[in-house]
Amino acid sequence: GAVVSQHPSWVICKSGTSVKIECRSLDFQATTMFWYRQFPKQSLMLMATSNEGSKATYEQGVEKDKFLINHASLTLSTLTVTSAHPEDSSFYICSASPGLAVRRSYNEQFFGPGTRLTVL
Amino acid sequence: AQSVTQPDIHITVSEGASLELRCNYSYGATPYLFWYVQSPGQGLQLLLKYFSGDTLVQGIKGFEAEFKRSQSSFNLRKPSVHWSDAAEYFCAVGARYGGATNKLIFGTGTLLAVQP
């Protein structure tokens, strides 16, 4: 149980284009989803937290107009990198949390496999 | 502020040797603590977690970790390392409060190499 998928697993795009990454919780309802960014050989940095039906909360320094997050349902969140540039190239990982509805998983996040974005 | 420190950036051990990866945290209350493993180009897999109760927790793949409140530590151990254990290991602390939203703060990771 508690499987999270991401699509696509990798994407290459031209500078100036927008890219959408999907994060799905396959067998549970995710009240909260998180988006992380990971640079090569570095740790995960939280970009934003999204609750279903609400606006995402962005971490300090993350441009909300650059990284658009939508959490329209309890099983799907999307991250859109708008007008991508080479410096946006990174590994993007999402996670999903069922929240208090499932006590044994309280405060636990389940991670997707990640999406490798390369902007040329 | 919450923080997690993994003092060892890179560790090399011989296959069959024991392993201990260090993790220290800073948090005002009893935290939720996690160890994750990441293989190259992959997402994170949960090895084990501590929420409360017994301070020695058992995880998958033969790993264990011990929560020591007095030392603010949550070190990961394995008695005999296998070549397939070579990966990046992340310690994380989660905020403990009543609410649907929670955050994980990750350490910088320890890259484990296993020599034959």
Side-chain angles (χ1 to χ4, degrees):
Chain A
V3 179
V4 177
S5 70
Q6 279 184 244
H7 179 79
S9 56
W10 59 270
V11 56
I12 301 173
C13 69
K14 294 182 179 180
S15 184
T17 61
S18 294
V19 175
K20 180 184 286 188
I21 302 170
E22 291 186 348
C23 177
R24 294 182 183 271
S25 56
L26 299 184
D27 51 5
F28 68 99
Q29 292 186 326
T31 55
T32 307
M33 287 187 168
F34 304 83
W35 286 95
Y36 296 84
R37 184 174 181 176
Q38 186 179 31
F39 291 102
K41 301 186 185 300
Q42 295 189 26
S43 187
L44 282 74
M45 292 183 58
L46 179 65
M47 298 174 65
T49 303
S50 71
N51 291 297
E52 185 263 339
S54 302
K55 288 185 177 180
T57 301
Y58 290 81
E59 295 298 299
Q60 192 172 9
V62 177
E63 300 175 61
K64 61 181 180 181
D65 295 330
K66 174 76 168 176
F67 300 99
L68 301 179
I69 292 172
N70 183 275
H71 191 168
S73 77
L74 285 172
T75 59
L76 173 64
S77 176
T78 60
L79 168 67
T80 301
V81 183
T82 62
S83 186
H85 288 92
E87 58 266 29
D88 299 323
S89 298
S90 192
F91 194 55
Y92 293 88
I93 302 176
C94 75
S95 71
S97 176
L100 293 176
V102 181
R103 280 194 171 273
R104 68 177 176 84
S105 299
Y106 176 60
N107 212 45
E108 184 170 353
Q109 297 179 28
F110 300 95
F111 286 82
T115 297
R116 172 74 59 193
L117 170 63
T118 301
V119 185
L120 302 177
Chain B
Q2 302 163 40
S3 65
V4 178
T5 302
Q6 292 180 250
D8 305 305
I9 297 174
H10 186 225
I11 284 183
T12 300
V13 299
S14 298
E15 190 168 16
S18 63
L19 171 70
E20 181 170 30
L21 302 182
R22 295 183 291 167
C23 173
N24 293 94
Y25 67 89
S26 173
Y27 187 63
T30 302
Y32 290 129
L33 294 163
F34 305 83
W35 273 101
Y36 290 90
V37 61
Q38 183 181 36
S39 297
Q42 302 294 315
L44 274 68
Q45 181 181 24
L46 179 67
L47 286 176
L48 46 80
K49 60 186 183 243
Y50 172 77
F51 282 4
S52 64
D54 193 348
T55 56
L56 183 63
V57 294
Q58 302 296 321
I60 62 172
K61 302 185 179 185
F63 286 93
E64 67 177 26
E66 186 171 11
F67 170 57
K68 292 186 177 180
R69 184 190 304 273
S70 62
Q71 299 177 18
S72 297
S73 69
F74 189 57
N75 295 347
L76 181 72
R77 300 193 295 249
K78 186 169 184 178
S80 178
V81 171
H82 188 262
W83 64 266
S84 60
D85 293 325
E88 184 103 36
Y89 291 80
F90 292 97
C91 180
V93 60
R96 178 191 291 263
Y97 52 86
T101 302
N102 52 83
K103 292 185 179 181
L104 285 176
I105 307 299
F106 285 89
T108 50
T110 297
L111 182 62
L112 174 66
V114 181
Q115 287 181 334

